[in-house]
């Protein structure tokens, strides 16, 4: 399951919304999918850490970090928690850090870039609200599919090719 998004676009063109090309694959799982959980935050990853410390079987955390290139919203320790809790992946409109460690983990991670600076923990942000970036609205409870070709969103689960 490495090239799922092209097939989903071919098979379900009327059911998918496609994110503009803007993210890079950093995780050990190149392709991942699941039910969307959202966090909206800016340079404060308190809610990201909190959510990825809860059970996340078959879920993907979509983080609207406002596109900030100044602070990393995900690092190796939080990513380890996500793996232990069963999350499928994390998509971040912003940056991550600890990319070498994250690339070895069985977790899908896509972000705009990497930066070594951590965030301040102020407990500010919103959980499970619609978030918009890259021309797509990500609604909690919908489904996201990601691989090195891109990211697609659907209101309903789609049968994966193969």
């Amino acid at each position: 399951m490495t090239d799922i998004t092209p097939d989903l676009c071919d098979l379900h063109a009327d059911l998918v919304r496609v994110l503009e090309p803007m993210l890079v694959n950093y995780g050990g799982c190149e392709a991942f999918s699941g039910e969307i959980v959202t966090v909206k935050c800016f340079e404060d990853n308190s809610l990201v850490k909190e959510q990825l410390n809860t059970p996340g079987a078959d879920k993907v955390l979509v983080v609207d970090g406002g596109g900030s290139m100044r602070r990393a919203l995900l690092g190796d320790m939080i990513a380890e928690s996500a793996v232990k809790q069963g999350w499928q992946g994390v998509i971040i409109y912003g940056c991550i850090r600890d990319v070498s460690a994250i690339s070895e983990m069985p977790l899908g991670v896509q972000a705009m870039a990497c930066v070594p600076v951590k965030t301040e923990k102020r407990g500010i942000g919103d959980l499970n609200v619609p978030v918009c970036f890259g021309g797509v609205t990500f609604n909690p409870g919908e489904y996201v599919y990601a691989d090195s070709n891109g990211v697609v969103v659907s209101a309903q689960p789609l049968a994966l090719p193969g």
Side-chain angles (χ1 to χ4, degrees), residues 1-21:
M1 179 171 99
T2 56
D3 288 324
I4 58 174
T5 61
D7 290 337
L8 289 174
C9 288
D10 292 349
L11 294 170
H12 306 288
D14 56 331
L15 298 177
V16 298
R17 304 183 307 272
V18 181
L19 184 72
E20 295 169 0

Side-chain angles (χ1 to χ4, degrees), residues 5 18 39 48 68 147 154:
T5 61
V18 181
V39 166
V48 174
S68 173
D147 61 21
S154 174

